[in-house]
Amino acid sequence: MTPEQRARRMVGYLPLVLHGGTRLNLFFSTLAAELGRMETGLTRLMRSRWYTLARGFGVEDSLEVKGASELGRLGELYNLQPRRGEPDAYFRQHLAALVELHRTGLGSAPALLQLVSLVYLAQQPPQLHWEGSTAVGHFTVQKADGTWRPLRVELDDNPPTSQAAQFRNVLGGQHLLTANGGLETATPEISLKATEADIAVPVLRHKQSGLDLFFLGLVPKGGTLTLRNDRPPAIDGRPAKEPLILAHPTRFSSKDDVGPLTRFDAPGTRFSVFEENKRLPELVPGESHWSYDTLVRGEIRSYLLGWSEARLKEAEAQAKVTRATPRADLRFDWTEITPATCVLRIPADYVPPHLLEPDAEGLVPGLPGLVRELAAALEYGRAAGVRTRIELTLPMPSEVVSMEEGPARQEVSMSFPEKLEPKDALTDFGYTIQLSDQLPEPQEELSWAGVFGATRFNSSRFP
């Protein structure tokens, strides 16, 4: 409403006899003009203080122009700056979403995934579902050609992390240290490489459990012995016929002995553990101490109590008469549950279009720039002391494998999402040969053996 219209309306409220008064009309005209200026000021105030009404900016404007606009100054109140390639309509959504996240909390998985979606300039709100303990977010993002595509990201707390400890030129009797920094007990994979000479009957001693792990065979020079849990030993990837023995020999000591694991009254005291080709010593959270050596023929028989004489002689033939422990390379690999860590997995085949354009310095941020912005978003929302990590994934098309097995047949069918379009047409295949396996009926016998008189009980413990 213009000041003239407002003045006529106010004069219309007066009696008809006063409508022609010159001074009254001048008074109401002045009052209407003042009310118009007040309305204009209130409108400007509301536009500058409300994110849906504040004057925005152009997509191609510089960051200085965007920051100096009414909408940009309003975002500064929440420590939010406009980005390159971000339209003012999306910045308004970003501002409203950020205020809502501060109200509900920034540390939850839905909040973090929404912060991630805002970095991608994705359509809001994102969709979230859980796959076990992993939070999965689905966004719709824009490509460089203006079309849209779906995007999947994953957020996982305390992810499993591969760790390794490697030792070179290890001497016989040398102490080795591994540290499990995870939250749970881990089972290692051990690799032993003979670098100096052939290694006959190598043994690894785990100090924490008192277990001896030895391979009852020969590791040739240059070869690598690999030990995995619940699997037979392998040399250079080929399974070995010689067994792997895990043993805790029967030992007794006095109360003054410094070895607490050899007394009956100590926690974790074991008696006569003996396992063949089954498990490896476990790594408890914290430090584990190991030592490497070889066994001689005089020590073999004390470990293999209860074996037949023929098998004992065959085992003793693998060892040397005198101890000669050559140098070796040792490697321990395990997976630990990393504490106070969250990992974000993003597809490596997509970068938002606004990060593919040169910045003010002429540099294209690209994928490294995307990783920096995502890391800043995670650090902004995550609690203090929680480490963040970003992993790149390459999405692969899903495949479906179905198997059916019967007494004398086995069928496997596979389907792929890609549609293969043949370009060459084959009209005649000629003769064909079809092979089918005829498997005999399985005939298995269940048998076991044990030693009673030698007091060798499997993982027995004293109460």
Side-chain angles (χ1 to χ4, degrees), residues 16 23 29 31 77-78 120 137 188 198 201 212 230 265 267 271 282 284 292 300 303-305 312 341 347 374 387 406:
L16 294 176
R23 293 186 178 183
S29 297
L31 181 60
L77 298 176
Y78 302 92
Y120 278 102
D198 297 344
V201 193
D212 295 346
D230 290 331
D265 59 347
F271 180 70
E282 295 179 338
V284 298
Y292 153 72
I300 294 294
Y303 278 92
L304 306 179
L305 183 62
L312 278 173
T341 303
L374 290 174
R387 296 171 294 178

Side-chain angles (χ1 to χ4, degrees), residues 128-403:
L128 172 70
H129 74 275
W130 292 86
E131 295 181 359
S133 60
T134 301
V136 181
H138 295 275
F139 316 135
T140 302
V141 294
Q142 192 172 19
K143 297 193 293 186
D145 57 359
T147 59
W148 298 85
R149 60 159 284 182
L151 193 72
R152 171 192 170 104
V153 297
E154 299 178 0
L155 185 68
D156 194 5
D157 279 336
N158 301 327
T161 307
S162 299
Q163 297 291 343
Q166 190 170 3
F167 307 92
R168 295 186 179 276
N169 295 326
V170 180
L171 297 172
Q174 183 175 345
H175 289 272
L176 310 175
L177 174 64
T178 58
N180 178 13
L183 299 174
E184 300 177 357
T185 301
T187 302
E189 176 183 320
I190 305 175
S191 300
L192 185 144
K193 183 176 182 180
T195 57
E196 187 178 22
D198 297 344
I199 303 177
V201 193
V203 58
L204 293 174
R205 293 187 169 90
H206 189 220
K207 304 300 183 181
Q208 273 64 31
S209 62
L211 294 171
D212 295 346
L213 181 70
F214 61 93
F215 172 62
L216 207 56
L218 179 71
V219 183
K221 181 181 179 180
T224 301
L225 172 66
T226 305
L227 307 178
R228 298 184 178 93
N229 195 52
D230 290 331
R231 295 185 184 181
I235 297 180
D236 294 334
R238 296 184 298 271
K241 62 179 181 179
E242 295 84 6
L244 177 70
I245 306 298
L246 179 70
H248 189 295
T250 306
R251 302 188 180 101
F252 301 94
S253 62
S254 65
K255 292 185 178 181
D256 298 332
D257 194 275
V258 295
L261 292 177
T262 63
R263 301 200 309 268
F264 289 114
D265 59 347
T269 298
R270 301 186 180 189
F271 180 70
S272 192
V273 176
F274 188 90
E275 295 181 1
E276 183 176 342
N277 284 352
K278 286 191 176 181
R279 63 185 179 91
L280 303 181
E282 295 179 338
L283 301 179
V284 298
E287 296 182 352
S288 293
H289 298 266
W290 303 76
S291 64
Y292 153 72
D293 212 334
T294 55
L295 296 180
V296 295
R297 294 184 180 178
E299 299 172 333
I300 294 294
R301 187 173 292 269
S302 62
Y303 278 92
L304 306 179
L305 183 62
W307 281 22
S308 63
E309 189 64 26
R311 196 178 181 189
L312 278 173
K313 290 183 179 180
E314 182 181 354
E316 287 178 335
Q318 301 290 335
K320 296 183 178 181
V321 179
T322 59
R323 192 182 310 278
T325 303
R327 296 175 181 267
D329 290 346
L330 275 167
R331 180 183 175 92
F332 297 84
D333 294 272
W334 69 93
T335 301
E336 63 184 32
I337 305 299
T338 310
T341 303
C342 71
V343 58
L344 175 68
R345 302 182 184 94
I346 63 172
D349 62 340
Y350 175 78
V351 178
H354 67 278
L355 294 177
L356 297 176
E357 300 293 335
D359 55 12
E361 299 178 356
L363 301 177
V364 178
L367 186 59
L370 173 62
V371 172
R372 287 193 298 267
E373 290 194 13
L374 290 174
L378 292 177
E379 292 176 359
Y380 180 79
R382 212 44 165 155
V386 177
R387 296 171 294 178
T388 59
R389 192 174 68 214
I390 297 177
E391 296 179 354
L392 303 179
T393 61
L394 185 62
M396 301 295 292
S398 59
E399 302 175 2
V400 179
V401 180
S402 61
M403 300 184 64

